[in-house]
């Protein structure tokens, strides 16, 4: 990985860590702010409320003590004693004028107090409130009514709430300290948590870049929390599927080349036969038509294989149309016979027609006489009449299935053996059945599970004698899956092999 990519990865990791840390800090300080508001309300309703009730009680006691001693003109606050701490007490007449002051300030004598608490007390009600004075002190004013010999009056107390302020400040310091400690813990936790998240993400990023550069075997070790482990497992699954897809595409290209050899071989056989034995004038037109047909088949197969390749990658869907399966079978077999097969090989074409075989007999004058292959057209019993029968199917897929099954049968059938190709529409089932059998050596049971694998060969040593790259049956299996068919194999060592392909819901219809 280059330095630019590594630096970008570090930036992403740091960004995630800081974002998590700031998020935790935000949550913590929002909680602290709510806690401060709650504590302020608690202080106001609880501590300050308790102080207010205490000052009310003390003011009433002072008023009672003054009345017991003969009134404000006889009893002095200094003599009474028991004044509240950090407080100033004043005795007022019915007009709110100061009669006595615990601070003994001569300037306050007969001075009228205009506080709203005093007005409430002179009206016969208790009054209190808290204030912040210009010097920064926090005080509470309390006034209670006191009737001096029917002339009215009040007791006023002003107390500095410094002790409550100090208590509140101590609590706030504790809250702030707790917030700082919580913030540090949150940052450490966020750093650790972001690391558990960012490291798996960084591993995924590196693995993705390696895959982009062609290292399709790149994988990650799922780690971290459950989500990142699931993400890592999903990435590995995706990478495995991508690797399989790419390998499948490469193998399919080889399979395509394998399939294109047949028409090329047919054209070569035609041209060589013309070189060996120049055709008569009346035969020339048919030979030219045969070559043209093979060229068109080659072109069609090439274009269809490209479409099928796009279908495998999800870029397109296979094109179905009404086809005559009997006609395609005949074209495939004839193309293979023209291309050359083993000597003394008997090819039997069976169908459920009542009047003729699957393929119309065609002149074999263009076939090299050295092929010595005999094609026999047979009829079967009283099953459904197939003349002109057509079904909805992708012609390329059907051609691939027939061609590769036939090639496989011919490949493993010894000279003098027999290959049988049959197709039925059973009356009791809504299906179409294709069978290709041979009289070859059969397939050992231990190989049955792998015969449809790409490039798998039962006996690699026989590759030169039989030819092929081990792709034929793999093509058949894939084409069956794409066309909705199911393939079965029956074999007996030394007794040949039968491949059966069944397509459900394929009933013949006439165009």
């Amino acid at each position: 990985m280059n330095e630019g990519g590594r630096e970008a990865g570090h930036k992403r990791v740091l960004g995630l860590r800081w974002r998590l840390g700031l998020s935790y800090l935000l949550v913590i300080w929002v909680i602290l702010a709510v806690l401060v508001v709650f504590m302020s309300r608690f202080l106001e309703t609880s501590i300050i409320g308790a102080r207010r009730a205490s000052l009310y009680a003390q003011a009433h006691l002072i008023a009672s003590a003054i009345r017991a001693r003969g009134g404000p003109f006889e009893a002095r606050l200094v003599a009474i004693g028991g004044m509240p701490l950090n407080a100033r007490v004043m005795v007022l007449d019915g007009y709110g004028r100061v009669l006595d002051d615990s601070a003994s300030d001569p300037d306050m004598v007969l001075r009228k107090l205009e506080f709203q608490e005093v007005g409430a007390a002179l009206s016969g009600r208790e009054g209190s409130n808290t204030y912040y004075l210009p010097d920064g002190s926090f005080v509470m004013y309390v006034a209670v009514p006191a009737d001096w010999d029917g002339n009215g009056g009040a007791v006023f107390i002003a107390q500095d709430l410094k002790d409550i302020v100090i208590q509140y400040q101590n609590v706030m310091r504790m809250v702030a300290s707790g917030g700082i400690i919580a913030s540090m813990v949150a940052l450490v936790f966020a750093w650790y948590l972001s690391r558990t998240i960012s490291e798996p993400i960084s591993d995924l990023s590196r693995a993705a870049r390696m895959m982009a550069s062609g290292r399709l075997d790149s994988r990650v070790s799922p780690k971290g929390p459950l989500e990142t482990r699931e993400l890592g497992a999903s990435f590995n699954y995706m990478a495995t599927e991508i690797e399989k897809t790419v390998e499948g595409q490469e193998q399919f290209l080889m399979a395509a080349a394998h399939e294109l050899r047949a028409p090329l071989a047919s054209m070569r056989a035609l041209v060589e036969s013309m070189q060996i034995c120049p055709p008569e004038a009346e035969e020339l037109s048919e030979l030219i038509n045969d070559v043209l047909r093979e060229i068109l088949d080659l072109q069609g197969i090439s274009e269809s294989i490209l479409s099928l390749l796009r279908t495998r990658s999800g870029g397109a869907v296979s094109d179905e149309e009404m086809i005559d399966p009997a006609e395609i079978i005949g074209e495939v077999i004839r193309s293979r016979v023209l291309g050359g097969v083993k000597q003394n090989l008997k090819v039997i074409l069976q169908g459920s027609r009542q009047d003729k075989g699957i393929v119309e007999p065609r002149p074999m004058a263009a076939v090299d006489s050295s092929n010595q292959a005999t094609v026999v057209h047979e009829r079967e019993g009283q099953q459904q009449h197939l003349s002109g029968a057509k079904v909805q199917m992708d012609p390329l897929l059907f051609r691939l299935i027939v061609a590769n099954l036939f090639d496989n049968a011919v490949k493993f059938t010894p000279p003098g053996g027999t290959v049988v190709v049959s197709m039925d529409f059973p009356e009791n089932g809504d299906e179409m059945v294709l069978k290709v059998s041979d009289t070859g050596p059969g397939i050992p049971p231990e190989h049955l599970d792998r015969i449809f694998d790409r490039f798998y060969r039962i006996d690699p040593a026989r590759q030169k004698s039989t030819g092929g790259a081990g792709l034929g049956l793999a093509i058949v299996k894939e084409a069956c899956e794409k066309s909705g068919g199911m393939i079965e194999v029956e074999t007996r060592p030394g007794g040949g092999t039968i491949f059966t392909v069944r397509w459900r819901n394929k009933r013949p219809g006439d165009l």
Side-chain angles (χ1 to χ4, degrees):
M1 183 173 62
N2 58 37
E3 294 298 328
R6 187 178 295 109
E7 181 180 356
H10 289 316
K11 288 182 179 179
R12 284 192 295 273
V13 172
L14 291 177
L16 176 62
R17 291 177 177 177
W18 281 113
R19 283 194 295 270
L20 281 175
L22 292 176
S23 299
Y24 283 128
L25 288 179
L26 178 62
V27 171
I28 289 173
W29 287 106
V30 168
I31 293 175
L32 289 178
V34 173
L35 181 61
V36 168
V37 172
F38 172 78
M39 294 184 65
S40 298
R41 294 291 179 87
F42 174 77
L43 181 66
E44 180 179 354
T45 59
S46 180
I47 300 177
I48 295 180
R51 181 62 57 86
R52 179 182 295 109
S54 176
L55 291 178
Y56 277 149
Q58 289 180 297
H60 283 295
L61 287 174
I62 293 172
S64 298
I66 291 174
R67 282 193 295 268
R69 294 179 180 235
F73 297 103
E74 302 293 334
R76 310 303 297 177
L77 292 175
V78 176
I80 295 174
M83 298 296 108
L85 294 176
N86 301 320
R88 185 173 182 177
V89 180
M90 297 180 185
V91 179
L92 310 178
D93 63 11
Y95 298 99
R97 293 174 298 188
V98 177
L99 299 178
D100 194 6
D101 181 8
S102 62
S104 301
D105 185 359
D107 294 336
M108 293 299 296
V109 177
L110 296 180
R111 183 176 176 178
K112 186 177 182 180
L113 299 183
E114 301 291 345
F115 301 127
Q116 61 180 4
E117 296 80 15
V118 173
L122 295 177
S123 300
R125 296 177 289 106
E126 295 177 341
S128 68
N129 212 335
T130 55
Y131 300 96
Y132 284 98
L133 300 183
D135 61 359
S137 59
F138 183 55
V139 299
M140 177 180 285
Y141 291 169
V142 172
V144 298
D147 189 5
W148 316 125
D149 298 331
N151 296 321
V155 175
F156 175 80
I157 300 177
Q159 186 178 51
D160 189 351
L161 301 180
K162 183 185 298 184
D163 59 325
I164 295 179
V165 172
I166 293 174
Q167 183 180 0
Y168 179 77
Q169 290 175 346
N170 291 335
V171 172
M172 290 300 103
R173 289 191 187 95
M174 293 177 60
V175 172
S177 300
I180 293 173
I181 295 175
S183 299
M184 295 177 62
V185 172
L187 285 176
V188 173
F189 180 73
W191 200 265
Y192 170 77
L193 180 61
S194 64
R195 182 179 179 182
T196 62
I197 297 176
S198 60
E199 284 190 355
I201 294 177
S202 298
D203 292 345
L204 284 172
S205 178
R206 286 191 294 270
R209 287 192 291 270
M210 292 176 66
M211 288 193 65
S213 64
R215 292 282 305 276
L216 299 182
D217 59 342
S218 300
R219 300 293 186 273
V220 297
S221 297
K223 57 184 178 180
L226 176 62
E227 291 77 6
T228 56
R229 293 200 303 270
E230 290 180 346
L231 181 61
S234 298
F235 177 86
N236 289 339
Y237 176 77
M238 177 195 69
T240 301
E241 294 302 312
I242 290 175
E243 187 175 16
K244 289 180 180 179
T245 300
V246 172
E247 290 179 354
Q249 290 176 346
E250 294 174 351
Q251 294 174 357
F252 190 78
L253 290 176
M254 299 182 66
H258 172 79
E259 177 61 24
L260 292 173
R261 289 189 307 174
L264 290 173
S266 296
M267 287 188 288
R268 178 180 177 180
L270 288 170
V271 172
E272 288 179 349
S273 66
M274 294 172 64
Q275 289 178 333
I276 296 173
C277 181
E280 300 294 334
E282 61 272 11
E283 297 175 339
L284 184 60
S285 176
E286 182 178 357
L287 289 173
I288 292 176
N289 288 334
D290 288 339
V291 173
L292 178 60
R293 185 180 64 255
E294 296 298 335
I295 292 174
L296 293 177
D297 287 344
L298 181 62
Q299 179 182 1
I301 292 174
S302 301
E303 293 175 351
S304 299
I305 286 177
L306 291 176
S307 299
L308 184 60
L309 195 59
R310 289 193 294 269
T311 300
R312 293 185 61 201
S313 63
V317 295
S318 62
D319 296 324
E320 291 192 351
E321 58 185 70
M322 295 299 294
I323 65 169
D324 185 347
E327 181 179 351
I328 292 179
I329 291 175
E331 292 175 355
V332 169
I333 301 305
R334 187 167 187 273
S335 172
R336 294 310 192 258
V337 172
L338 289 173
V341 294
K342 297 177 181 178
Q343 294 184 359
N344 302 320
L345 183 67
K346 183 178 182 181
V347 179
I348 299 177
L349 304 181
Q350 293 180 344
S352 49
R353 291 185 180 179
Q354 297 176 2
D355 57 342
K356 52 187 176 182
I358 290 180
V359 184
E360 288 283 358
R362 301 184 65 177
M364 303 299 292
V367 180
D368 187 348
S369 59
S370 64
N371 286 330
Q372 300 297 324
T374 303
V375 181
V376 178
H377 302 272
E378 294 185 352
R379 294 192 300 241
E380 288 186 357
Q382 301 299 319
Q383 299 183 20
Q384 183 172 345
H385 188 57
L386 295 182
S387 179
K390 299 195 176 187
V391 296
Q392 187 81 13
M393 185 178 292
D394 188 319
L396 168 65
L397 298 178
F398 185 74
R399 184 181 296 272
L400 287 173
I401 294 170
V402 174
N404 282 281
L405 287 179
F406 181 75
D407 289 345
N408 185 76
V410 170
K411 183 187 305 181
F412 292 99
T413 300
T418 302
V419 174
V420 180
V421 180
S422 67
M423 189 189 70
D424 280 335
F425 289 96
E427 292 182 350
N428 297 329
D430 189 15
E431 62 180 7
M432 181 175 74
V433 180
L434 171 70
K435 290 187 178 183
V436 179
S437 63
D438 60 60
T439 56
I443 303 173
E446 62 271 19
H447 294 281
L448 286 176
D449 292 338
R450 298 195 59 191
I451 59 174
F452 294 105
D453 293 348
R454 295 184 180 93
F455 305 107
Y456 182 76
R457 303 183 64 84
I458 297 176
D459 184 5
R462 294 186 45 165
Q463 183 169 354
K464 289 185 178 180
S465 62
T466 60
L471 289 172
L473 293 181
I475 297 173
V476 170
K477 181 182 178 182
E478 186 165 335
C480 286
E481 292 175 351
K482 293 294 182 181
S483 64
M486 296 180 296
I487 186 167
E488 303 169 355
V489 57
E490 301 175 32
T491 185
R492 185 175 58 189
T497 302
I498 302 175
F499 286 93
T500 303
V501 183
R502 303 178 187 274
W503 287 272
R504 303 292 183 184
N505 301 318
K506 294 290 185 182
R507 299 302 299 167
D510 295 330
L511 288 181

